[in-house]
């Protein structure tokens, strides 16, 4: 299997468990690895035969913008579910980085991997 990647995608979401986090959207940085077969795309040179990373990025930005979750895990689950339904990969790993939340840390993040049965 092959891999379509998006690295460092900046989105904004209303996210967090603390009261101060519930007043304004925060910057999140997404890394997405989507496992799929790229043989047909390579043979035909046609974007219809691959996962269109531009459309994935746009969809993830929309989901983040419309969301209001307490946990990164909940937002990540919605994003993963959407990627599977709309873009049909075999496997996805999504990392959601929240770099601006702790002064003492450069970044906090969660990663989730899901695979089509």
């Amino acid at each position: 299997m092959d891999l379509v990647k998006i690295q460092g995608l900046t989105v904004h979401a209303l996210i967090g468990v603390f009261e101060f986090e519930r007043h304004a959207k925060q910057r999140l940085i997404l890394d997405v690895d989507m496992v799929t077969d790229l043989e047909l795309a390579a043979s035909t040179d046609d974007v219809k035969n691959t996962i269109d990373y531009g459309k994935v990025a746009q969809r993830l930005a929309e989901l983040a913008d419309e969301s209001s979750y307490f946990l990164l895990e909940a937002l990540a689950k919605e994003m993963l579910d959407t990627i599977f339904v709309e873009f049909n990969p075999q496997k996805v790993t999504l990392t959601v980085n929240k770099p601006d939340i702790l002064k003492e840390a450069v970044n906090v993040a969660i990663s989730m991997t899901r695979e089509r049965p």
Side-chain angles (χ1 to χ4, degrees), residues 70-85:
F70 291 102
L71 298 179
L72 294 174
E73 293 86 343
L75 176 59
K77 181 187 181 316
E78 181 184 8
M79 289 178 166
L80 286 166
D81 291 347
T82 299
I83 290 170
F84 272 105
V85 168

Side-chain angles (χ1 to χ4, degrees), residues 6-61:
I6 300 172
Q7 296 176 310
L9 177 66
T10 299
V11 299
H12 293 86
L14 188 63
I15 191 119
V17 297
F18 300 111
E19 181 60 33
F20 72 88
E21 295 180 284
R22 306 303 301 166
H23 299 289
K25 292 180 181 178
Q26 297 180 61
R27 176 175 69 120
L28 302 175
I29 301 172
L30 308 179
D31 298 312
V32 187
D33 290 345
M34 296 168 284
V35 175
T36 192
D37 186 346
L38 296 176
E39 181 62 33
L40 184 59
S43 298
T44 63
D45 196 26
D46 190 335
V47 72
K48 291 183 289 189
N49 297 320
T50 189
I51 295 174
D52 185 332
Y53 52 79
K55 288 182 180 179
V56 175
Q58 179 181 356
R59 190 67 176 106
L60 294 178

